Structure formats: structure tokens, C-alpha cells
Amino acid sequence: MPPSAPRPSPLRIGNASGFYGDRFDAMREMLTGGELDVLTGDYLAELTMLILGRDRLKDPEAGYARTFLRQLEECLGLAHERGVRIVANAGGLNPAGLAARVRELAGRLGLPVRVAHVEGDDLTAAHPGALAAHAYLGGFGIAACLRAGADVVVTGRVTDAALVTGPAAAHFGWTPGDLDALAGAVVAGHVLECGTQATGGNYAFFGEFEPRRLLRPGFPLAEIHPDGSSVITKHPGSGGVVDVGTVTAQLLYETGGPRYAGPDVTARLDTVALDRVGPDRVRISGVRGEAPPATLKVGVNRFGGFRNQVEFVLTGLDVERKAELVRAQLEDALDRAESRPAHVSWDLVRTDRPDAATEETASAVLRLVVRDPDQQAVGRAVAGAGIELALASYPGFHVTAPPGKGAPYGAFHAAYVPQGEVEHVAVLPDGTRESVPPAPGTRGLADVDEPPLPAPPPVGGPVRRVPLGRVAGARSGDKGGDANVGVWVRGDEAWRWLAHTLTVERFKELLPETATLTVTRHALPNLRALNFTVEGILGEGVAAQHRFDPQAKALGEWLRARHMDIPEALL
């Protein structure tokens, strides 16, 4: 028999940033720690676009992630020497400006580096009153830049996964019709996009690992194969852990139903198969893709008004009565004020303990938050009325910090625009502008039928009332004003129990803050996971600081801490 053809080498794509402000040294670590073909960096989030919008108001030449440029000052030579291409969305609101700065840097360093960028996402002019409005573009603009020989590609607002699908499409010659391959790359990109969250960071079962392994988790990389399957791993000797659990946790992060929609493809998360194929190596396979929706998501950031807060410290006895007194006094003062703030909210945080050994552990906090379009209204409410009570309220009156005049806050909402109305452009290294057409075929999003669940566990048997987190992991996050909570278990019997026990009704009982909100449950049996979407819990988004945990980062950990009757066999 003739020898079989050699299997093509996988494309090794690494990540060096999960957010604007991530570990500065990660770019150097990824370039020097092992073999790579492409190094990506995700610098953008809903809040980041607002921050960059404020930057650009002060300086029209700003609007990009300055950290990325400083990292390149140290690492551009390394990347050139090792033949690693760099793809990052650090262009933010000004990808052309950042591309120009990168060219200047390459010139100063004497490096023959070819720089390209992707633009067309900026739709601010079409949204009057918005500080920034940007469509989420796909990966084919990046692919065009790389096919034209770019060594560095910077983009504005693309989907996080586009940083992986673009290089993979360029390398393997994928077309928009290669839906399964694209979907596989989308899933790999989603795992990589948040950096060390895929290598043990923010992981529910972190206590199962040796602490020294988590001191400095290495950043992840994906070995992408021509069919879109991949292996998630990290550089040899770097910190952290890659296992089925860490990959599952990241797959559930900031997702909703089984259909994970993007500009190029809709990836079916209910088809994902995960397998451990070696130490710190997890294969992703079986991902099916469908045509993307006909519309692109647009993230719209606008000025929401002014916000102010004060935290009253309540110490010792009669905490609730003290809170009632100061709240009544403040409400009376607000009613008599020239203008009452449009939004007033109170939260009593009971951190106090009886017979406490320290004053701090004897104290609770009553938090007052006010919002209004008028800065004077929020300033008077807190700085005025609040402090005037200093000698006229509950015993032991004091606050955690002197209140200020109030600060501006942003609000986020998502809009949608037909793909054909967005001019997606790849600006190639020679300056040529190549138009990137919209997806040739589209498909409307619809709910997936409830998948078959395993048979219910047997009734009866001993149970123990313990925290849910003794058997289940969780990861949660924000999407505008909504939050998602992904919950998974690590065995078939535990999945039988979870699938039939953690209903929407039980979820609302465990998290009373969600009781009046719309909660949707999606089952992902391949991952032994349930994904819950909680609509409206974050108000107008993270910048509005609507709740104590404005990005719902710990909502899943609160759920894991709630007690349930769990079969002893699972413990």
C-alpha cells in the first residue's frame, strides 16, 4: 500500500490578552514560551468601548488600546524574528490610527513589518446621541489582510472569536460556505478569548489544584486543524491547568442558548464534544455550523447621566433599626429637596456578627445609590443631605468615604442592523481597500428544541443538605443588561440529578434577586451543563453600576453557595 499523505500541521494560535489591562508581560511570555504561528489579543469589551470613547472626546487621535502599542515596543522584534503574526482588536474606535502608530514603531525599530487593519464597524453617526456605536464584524476582513501578507493586523470591534476564525480561514483557505470548520474555530476562539480563564483562572474547582500551579497561569493556545477541530493547550512549563473542566467553564461564559450566533456562522454549542487527549490538552470536535443571522449586533454606548453613592456604616446592636432611621431621614430630605434624583436605591449588606471581636466584623453597610441626568441632583442628595445627618442620626454614625459631587456613567444597549448595510473593509499592507462581502446565506435564529435528557434519578435514598457547589461548577458573566449563569457537573449520575433538579423555578428560589425577572434555561447534555439567562438583572449594563456585582461575575458563585438536598451518592 502506498503511504498515506502526511497530516497537515495544525495552525497554532495563542492568546496574550483577555481584556484591556491584562498581564502586560503575556505577549513576551507567549512569544518566548513555545511554538506559535499567530498571537492574538482581545482588548475590547462593552465597558472598554465606553472608556475609549471618552478618551477620544479628549483627543481625536486616541481611541485605541495604548497598552498594545507599548507591548509591541518590546515584542515586535521578537514576533518578526520568530515569524509569528499578530492579530488584535486593540484598534478599538480608531484602528487606522493604531495601524499608523504600529508602522511608525516598526520604522523606528528598523523592522520590515507589514501592517494592515480592518474598519467599517463604526456606526456612531447612525445613532444620534451615542458616544460609540460599533457593529461586531466577522473574521474574513482579518483573513484578507493576512492573505495579503500582513504581519500585524489591528481591528476595531470584531467578535472575540473572529481573532481566531480570521487567521484559520486565511491559513486553510476556508470560504464562507465552510460552516462546520468556521464553527469549530469560533468555539476555539471563544475558549481563548478570555485568556487565563481557560487555564485555571476564575475556576470553580480551583481548590483541587496545587496552589503553586495557579500562581501565574499561562495563557492558552489552540492547535486548529483543517476541519475546524482543535486542541486547547498552553506552552510547556507555564502555569495553570487545561482540562475538560476549565474548557467547559469558558465555553459557558457569556453565552446563551445552543445557537451561538456570529457574523460568519452560528456555532451549535450543543454539538461540542470535549476529550482529554493528554496532560493540559483538551480536544474540541464535532462542532456543527449553521448560516449566520441576517443582522449584525451593534453595541451602542451612550451617556447615561450622573451617579453618586454613600455607604453608611452601622455598628453593633439594632442594625436594622439604625438602617430604618437613616433611610427615613434621607428619604424625607430627598422629598424636600429642590429636585429628587430620578433613581434612588438602597441595599443593606449584613456583614456584621454577634459578639464580634473587632469593630469591622461588628459592622454592616447601608448603601445608597442615586442616579439622575443632573449632576447637581445627585450631589445634593448624597453630599448634602447625607452628611448633614452626621450629628443627627443613629448612634455611631459614619460613612466609608466622603461623598463627592457624582460622576458620569454610561449605558449600553444592543441594536441590530442588516449585514449588507455595514461596509466591512480590509485595508491591506499596501493601502488597498478590499471590501468584505456579507455572508452569502443567512438563517434566522430560533430556539433549539429541548434536547433529550437522561432518565430522572431514582426517588428516595439518603440526601445531605450542602452547597450546590459541592457537586457543580459555575461561571457567570454579563451581556449588556442581562447575565448568564452556566452550571455543569462532571459525571453522568450528577448530570441526571442536575438536569431534573435545577429547574428555572428552583433557580429563582435559590437566587431570590431573580424571582421577578425572566429566566431562560438551556440544556447542553454533551457538556453536562445548564445555561441560564437572566434578563435585565444588570439594568443598563456594567457602566451603569446597577447592582453590587455589576458584571455578574460572582452570580454563579452565589448560586454554588446556596444549600440544596443533594444525594449522598453524589458527594
Side-chain angles (χ1 to χ4, degrees), residues 29-282:
E29 293 169 8
M30 290 301 289
L31 288 170
T32 59
E35 294 296 320
L36 278 183
D37 300 302
V38 179
L39 184 59
T40 67
D42 181 8
Y43 293 80
L44 301 184
E46 294 165 2
L47 181 60
T48 311
M49 298 299 280
L50 179 68
I51 293 169
L52 295 177
R54 291 175 179 171
D55 287 349
R56 203 168 189 188
L57 285 177
K58 301 173 186 174
D59 177 5
E61 299 299 315
Y64 54 81
R66 298 178 186 273
T67 304
F68 173 74
L69 197 57
R70 297 204 312 272
Q71 288 172 308
L72 285 188
E73 289 179 4
E74 293 187 6
C75 297
L76 189 58
L78 263 177
H80 177 68
E81 173 189 317
R82 293 167 182 254
V84 178
R85 291 174 158 187
I86 294 177
V87 179
N89 61 14
L93 279 60
N94 189 9
L98 178 57
R101 302 290 86 74
V102 175
R103 291 189 191 95
E104 292 171 3
L105 173 63
R108 290 201 311 272
L109 297 176
L111 298 171
V113 171
R114 294 160 294 186
V115 183
H117 73 275
V118 177
E119 59 185 41
D121 58 299
D122 190 348
L123 303 182
T124 306
H127 293 265
L131 182 61
H134 292 256
Y136 289 72
L137 303 180
F140 280 99
I142 295 170
C145 293
L146 293 171
R147 285 196 304 266
D151 301 301
V152 178
V153 182
V154 295
T155 77
R157 179 75 278 188
V158 296
T159 64
D160 301 335
L163 301 175
V164 170
T165 60
H171 183 78
F172 294 117
W174 296 340
T175 69
D178 292 312
L179 295 177
D180 288 347
L182 287 167
V186 163
V187 171
H190 180 58
V191 173
L192 295 190
E193 70 184 55
C194 289
T196 53
Q197 277 197 172
T199 58
N202 300 351
Y203 183 55
F205 299 115
F206 73 97
E208 298 179 359
F209 304 138
E210 296 178 40
R212 62 179 181 82
R213 298 186 70 182
L214 298 181
L215 288 178
R216 192 177 177 86
F219 277 68
L221 64 93
E223 299 170 354
I224 311 287
H225 293 276
D227 63 354
S229 64
S230 64
V231 172
I232 305 299
T233 184
K234 61 187 184 67
H235 282 326
S238 60
V241 177
V242 177
D243 67 13
V244 169
T246 65
V247 174
T248 298
Q250 181 55 28
L251 275 178
L252 296 173
Y253 181 63
E254 295 183 346
T255 60
R259 285 192 164 103
Y260 186 60
D264 301 321
V265 65
T266 294
R268 288 290 298 265
L269 299 182
D270 53 345
T271 64
V272 174
L274 301 179
D275 298 286
R276 183 179 183 271
V277 292
D280 292 314
R281 293 178 64 82
V282 174

Side-chain angles (χ1 to χ4, degrees), residues 453-459 489 491-502 521 528 570:
L453 297 177
V459 177
V489 290
D492 290 339
E493 289 305 309
W495 169 236
R496 291 176 67 190
W497 175 81
L498 184 74
H500 292 281
T501 304
L502 193 56
R521 184 184 104 150
R528 300 190 187 99
L570 301 182

Side-chain angles (χ1 to χ4, degrees), residues 312-328 346-352 362-366 393-395:
F312 302 94
V313 181
L314 314 170
T315 303
L317 304 178
D318 303 319
V319 163
E320 292 187 3
R321 292 178 61 188
K322 289 172 180 174
E324 290 171 3
L325 173 59
V326 71
R327 178 170 178 169
W346 296 88
D347 286 299
L348 177 59
V349 184
R350 295 300 301 265
T351 53
D352 55 303
S363 300
V365 172
L366 177 67
S393 190
Y394 61 86

Side-chain angles (χ1 to χ4, degrees), residues 13 149 195 202 333 340 378 487 535:
I13 303 178
N202 300 351
R340 180 186 174 92
V378 301
V487 186
E535 297 181 23

Side-chain angles (χ1 to χ4, degrees), residues 192-566:
L192 295 190
E193 70 184 55
C194 289
T196 53
Q197 277 197 172
T199 58
N202 300 351
Y203 183 55
F205 299 115
F206 73 97
E208 298 179 359
F209 304 138
E210 296 178 40
R212 62 179 181 82
R213 298 186 70 182
L214 298 181
L215 288 178
R216 192 177 177 86
F219 277 68
L221 64 93
E223 299 170 354
I224 311 287
H225 293 276
D227 63 354
S229 64
S230 64
V231 172
I232 305 299
T233 184
K234 61 187 184 67
H235 282 326
S238 60
V241 177
V242 177
D243 67 13
V244 169
T246 65
V247 174
T248 298
Q250 181 55 28
L251 275 178
L252 296 173
Y253 181 63
E254 295 183 346
T255 60
R259 285 192 164 103
Y260 186 60
D264 301 321
V265 65
T266 294
R268 288 290 298 265
L269 299 182
D270 53 345
T271 64
V272 174
L274 301 179
D275 298 286
R276 183 179 183 271
V277 292
D280 292 314
R281 293 178 64 82
V282 174
R283 177 188 290 126
I284 300 175
S285 62
V287 186
R288 281 177 31 218
E290 299 173 346
T295 57
L296 297 180
K297 178 181 175 181
V298 181
V300 183
N301 284 279
R302 59 180 174 80
F303 171 67
F306 293 90
R307 178 184 185 278
N308 208 354
Q309 78 173 51
V310 62
E311 293 182 337
F312 302 94
V313 181
L314 314 170
T315 303
L317 304 178
D318 303 319
V319 163
E320 292 187 3
R321 292 178 61 188
K322 289 172 180 174
E324 290 171 3
L325 173 59
V326 71
R327 178 170 178 169
Q329 290 175 314
L330 258 294
E331 289 288 349
D332 178 67
L334 294 178
D335 290 339
R336 289 186 287 103
E338 182 179 336
S339 59
R340 180 186 174 92
H343 301 281
V344 178
S345 63
W346 296 88
D347 286 299
L348 177 59
V349 184
R350 295 300 301 265
T351 53
D352 55 303
R353 305 173 195 169
D355 195 21
T358 66
E359 183 177 340
E360 187 171 1
T361 56
S363 300
V365 172
L366 177 67
R367 182 182 298 112
L368 166 65
V369 178
V370 295
R371 297 182 182 83
D372 196 273
D374 181 7
Q375 187 174 23
Q376 289 190 352
V378 301
R380 284 192 297 265
V382 174
I387 296 308
E388 287 175 0
L389 292 172
L391 304 180
S393 190
Y394 61 86
F397 181 104
H398 67 285
V399 296
T400 57
K405 298 179 180 179
Y409 72 88
F412 174 90
H413 76 272
Y416 294 87
V417 62
Q419 285 211 25
E421 293 184 10
V422 176
E423 187 181 3
H424 186 177
V425 177
V427 184
L428 308 182
D430 64 359
T432 300
R433 300 177 62 83
E434 181 176 321
S435 180
V436 180
T442 61
R443 173 177 176 166
L445 284 178
D447 289 338
V448 174
D449 292 338
E450 177 80 6
L453 297 177
V459 177
V463 298
R464 197 183 313 162
R465 193 158 186 82
V466 296
L468 172 62
R470 293 289 175 255
V471 296
R475 179 167 286 167
S476 56
D478 63 310
K479 279 295 181 184
D482 301 340
N484 97 286
V485 184
V487 186
W488 81 96
V489 290
R490 298 180 290 181
D492 290 339
E493 289 305 309
W495 169 236
R496 291 176 67 190
W497 175 81
L498 184 74
H500 292 281
T501 304
L502 193 56
T503 61
V504 168
E505 292 72 22
R506 182 64 62 86
F507 182 93
K508 289 186 172 186
E509 290 173 5
L510 295 171
L511 303 185
E513 192 177 343
T514 70
T516 61
L517 302 175
T518 298
V519 177
T520 305
R521 184 184 104 150
H522 301 281
L524 299 168
N526 280 13
L527 302 177
R528 300 190 187 99
L530 302 172
N531 210 359
F532 295 87
T533 300
V534 185
E535 297 181 23
I537 191 171
L538 303 179
E540 294 179 293
V542 54
Q545 298 281 308
H546 179 76
R547 67 188 292 273
F548 168 67
D549 175 15
Q551 290 182 279
K553 296 291 189 183
L555 195 60
E557 287 301 295
W558 178 25
L559 179 67
R560 293 182 69 237
R562 296 308 310 268
H563 288 223
M564 298 179 68
D565 291 331
I566 297 177

